[in-house]
Amino acid sequence: QVQLVESGGGLVKPGGSLRLSCAASGFPFSDYYMSWIRQTPGKGLEWLSYISTSDLIIYYADSVKGRFTISRDNAKNSLFLQMNTLRVDDTAVYYCARPIAPADPGGAFDVWGQGTMVTVSS
Amino acid sequence: SSELTQDPAVSVALGQTVRITCQGDSVRNYFASWYQQKPGQAPILVFYGKNNRPSGVPDRFSGSSSGDTASLTITGAQAEDEADYHCNSRDISGNRPVFGGGTRLTVL
């Protein structure tokens, strides 16, 4: 079935780095723009970044621009988020998500992973 | 503004109708999408576009929009509808998704 599975979360000190992965299955991953979205504990959702099918189009939220890098490997049906210079306020559950329309990353997201927790603390 | 504003909490009596709203300038130009999220779970899309409900979502969930406000209406709320509801749309440029702060729905 259609599935997204995130991994790579954990505990990291402020200023540290972490790389998240998202494994996709059950759909033509290479046809879809993909996004990373996070949710701070007890709070709302925040879109972070999306990447086009061929890496040519990438957008970031201002809160992570210059610190986070999104990438993908279509051959391995995988999406990544390299997070550098992490701050305490980056503590959140990180989700990868698929848009309902393959080439419309600004629209609705119909498939979400289960999320991976990132805790930034000294 | 690229912000979407939602009421933090709303309550409804069992079986009654409740409207959850999402306000922002971008809603004037772009449709909103709505997600239901229960504790410890990922969000689930329940309504999107002009009039679209994903397969498996009960028809008591409906969406609408007027001016700068999008609404999710639950007609005949059930106990299992108690959850957080998030809206999303696009920023003014249309290039970036944006989410509201979420509304916690309590079914009394």
Side-chain angles (χ1 to χ4, degrees):
Chain A
Q1 79 269 25
V2 175
Q3 194 173 12
L4 297 171
V5 179
E6 302 94 340
S7 60
L11 174 64
V12 61
K13 288 181 167 46
S17 298
L18 214 52
R19 188 187 195 219
L20 306 183
S21 300
C22 171
S25 59
F27 68 97
F29 176 76
S30 61
D31 290 349
Y32 282 79
Y33 280 56
M34 293 294 296
S35 277
W36 285 100
I37 296 162
R38 71 183 177 186
Q39 185 170 32
T40 50
K43 301 228 177 130
L45 299 164
E46 179 187 15
W47 170 82
L48 299 179
S49 179
Y50 70 68
I51 184 169
S52 66
T53 55
S54 56
D55 301 1
L56 293 179
I57 299 173
I58 290 175
Y59 278 93
Y60 296 99
D62 289 343
S63 59
V64 303
K65 197 170 187 178
R67 300 188 300 123
F68 291 11
T69 302
I70 192 171
S71 61
R72 65 191 296 161
D73 184 338
N74 288 336
K76 296 183 178 179
N77 291 335
S78 294
L79 177 72
F80 306 101
L81 187 67
Q82 178 66 44
M83 305 186 296
N84 298 330
T85 320
L86 282 161
R87 310 187 300 223
V88 171
D89 62 359
D90 292 318
T91 295
V93 175
Y94 286 72
Y95 296 100
C96 59
R98 185 193 85 166
I100 199 163
D104 183 15
F109 298 98
D110 69 332
V111 181
W112 296 66
Q114 85 289 352
T116 187
M117 182 72 203
V118 172
T119 302
V120 185
S121 175
S122 54
Chain B
S1 168
S2 300
E3 296 180 346
L4 295 177
T5 301
Q6 296 184 244
D7 292 328
V10 171
S11 62
V12 61
L14 184 67
Q16 296 303 300
T17 296
V18 62
R19 177 175 293 179
I20 300 168
T21 61
C22 174
Q23 184 178 25
D25 288 341
S26 62
V27 171
R28 295 183 186 276
N29 301 309
Y30 305 109
F31 290 116
S33 304
W34 291 93
Y35 306 84
Q36 178 191 71
Q37 185 180 30
K38 296 184 177 180
Q41 298 181 17
I44 296 172
L45 181 66
V46 294
F47 201 88
Y48 67 100
K50 186 175 182 180
N51 188 22
N52 299 287
R53 194 182 310 108
S55 173
V57 175
D59 61 6
R60 62 179 178 270
F61 289 88
S62 63
S64 62
S65 185
S66 179
D68 69 350
T69 301
S71 301
L72 176 73
T73 300
I74 306 174
T75 303
Q78 301 300 302
E80 60 264 32
D81 299 335
E82 187 163 287
D84 292 333
Y85 289 85
H86 306 273
C87 66
N88 103 275
S89 185
R90 307 166 194 262
D91 69 357
I92 284 295
S93 74
N95 291 324
R96 294 176 175 81
V98 61
F99 284 88
T103 296
R104 175 148 298 177
L105 176 67
T106 299
V107 179
L108 303 172

